[in-house]
Amino acid sequence: MDRRRFIALGGMAAVTAGAQDAGRVSAGGAHPVQAPLILRRIPSSGTTLPAIGLGTSGPFEVGADESARAPLREVLKAFFAAGATLIDTSPMYSSAEAVLGDLLTPAQQAQVFIATKVWTPGSGGAAEQKGVEQMQRSMTLLKHKRVELMQVHNLVDLDAHLRTLRRWKAEGRIQYIGVTHYTTSSYPDLISIIEREKPDFVQFNYSAATREAEKRLLPLCADKGVAVIINRAFEDGRLFEQVRDKPLPPWAAEFGAHSWAQVFLKFVLAHPAVTCVIPATGKVRNVIDNLGAGTGALPDARHRAQVVAALG
Ligand SMILES: NC(=O)c1ccc[n+]([C@@H]2O[C@H](COP(=O)([O-])OP(=O)(O)OC[C@H]3O[C@@H](n4cnc5c(N)ncnc54)[C@H](OP(=O)(O)O)[C@@H]3O)[C@@H](O)[C@H]2O)c1
């Protein structure tokens, strides 16, 4: 199916498949993930990706203590059992890459789509070499010989790293090239990078409360055939404070949302340019909740307006 026809089908939610193990996940009292995850197409390759991923900033920044690592093992077990694959991390997130490398089982290593980053602030003109060394270290820590997606974190030393990433992609050491940011003030830069460099992936912030990306960035990604990863779909958890005293409205059930987390994630996934959303959590109950958002129906324009109004 080509991209235009894909989008014309009324959103990529039209495509679901895989997740043979869906329905096996059950923990912490959350609803098990009963249906296959929505798959979205990566425009530059045509292959698909489960639309719910996992962020590691915060929850995976733990030490060697087994009491801190045990819940993360359960998070990963539930995540892969539901058919999800994309995990986002970075050398910026202290121990997260090392923890992930330690916790992923061989079977999970074979399934995972690692999205890590290169991040070299203050490199003093030696960004290219520092980036190479850092990316080699990330692969060692992650115990992952070929990284699926390497992203330039917050656009730091972009041109130096893009040279390396293009070479590494040609050599088969990485599969895809991406760039990331997390603020709306970065959008003008992201827009010119998309137009100039046409990366495989772009990662940025988008939520029911911060919808600036709908104006130019998301339509541009769809138009140029760039895959989109969304961070901060919960505004780093702040969205839950905004609805703390509000019961889940009855209209949420009309698009299959059973929690506010599912409302917020389904809101993001309803945009047809979005490929994958990466909520961060270290709790098995919450990862199951989040995975549930990647199944079944998605909100239509009326529902999306109701979500926005509920936050007002
Ligand atoms: N520049 C960049 O490249 C960049 C910048 C920002 C973020 N990111 C990536 O995007 C990921 C996500 O962004 P984020 O970590 O800033 O924030 P986020 O995903 O918007 O929010 C994470 C917060 O939501 C809570 N949460 C998760 N699932 C929940 C649920 N079902 N119910 C209630 N609370 C829930 C988590 O708490 P619990 O742990 O208690 O569940 C955590 O406090 C990051 O981890 C990182 O991988 C990248």
Side-chain angles (χ1 to χ4, degrees), residues 54 60 71-79 281-284 287:
L54 180 66
F60 279 72
L72 303 178
R73 284 184 213 280
E74 293 306 309
V75 164
L76 293 173
K77 202 166 146 191
F79 182 75
T281 184
K283 298 192 174 101
V284 73
V287 81

Side-chain angles (χ1 to χ4, degrees), residues 54-57 59 88-89 93 117 153-154 180-182 203 231-237 240 261 278-283 286 289-290:
L54 180 66
T56 59
S57 166
D88 180 81
T89 188
Y93 309 153
K117 311 190 185 90
H153 201 150
N154 290 352
T180 78
H181 215 286
Y182 67 106
Q203 180 187 147
N231 60 40
R232 306 238 143 163
F234 300 144
E235 302 278 342
D236 202 11
F240 297 109
I278 50 169
T281 184
K283 298 192 174 101
N286 286 351
D289 190 16
N290 298 343

Side-chain angles (χ1 to χ4, degrees), residues 1-15 41 43 222-223 272:
M1 195 185 311
D2 69 22
R3 190 176 60 84
R4 221 171 295 143
R5 176 163 154 61
F6 200 61
I7 290 169
L9 280 174
M12 303 185 191
V15 178
R41 187 172 165 274
D223 187 48

Side-chain angles (χ1 to χ4, degrees), residues 178-195:
V179 297
T180 78
H181 215 286
Y182 67 106
T183 64
T184 49
S185 59
S186 73
Y187 291 1
D189 286 338
L190 289 177
I191 285 167
S192 64
I193 291 162
I194 290 165
E195 282 169 340

Side-chain angles (χ1 to χ4, degrees), residues 86-111:
L86 189 149
I87 302 182
D88 180 81
T89 188
S90 171
M92 188 209 259
Y93 309 153
S94 61
S95 62
E97 289 183 316
V99 169
L100 207 48
D102 286 350
L103 298 189
L104 287 169
T105 66
Q108 291 169 349
Q109 281 280 9
Q111 279 174 271

Side-chain angles (χ1 to χ4, degrees), residues 187-209:
Y187 291 1
D189 286 338
L190 289 177
I191 285 167
S192 64
I193 291 162
I194 290 165
E195 282 169 340
R196 194 176 71 235
E197 310 287 352
K198 202 170 182 283
D200 300 298
F201 279 79
V202 178
Q203 180 187 147
F204 51 85
N205 61 315
Y206 174 51
S207 77

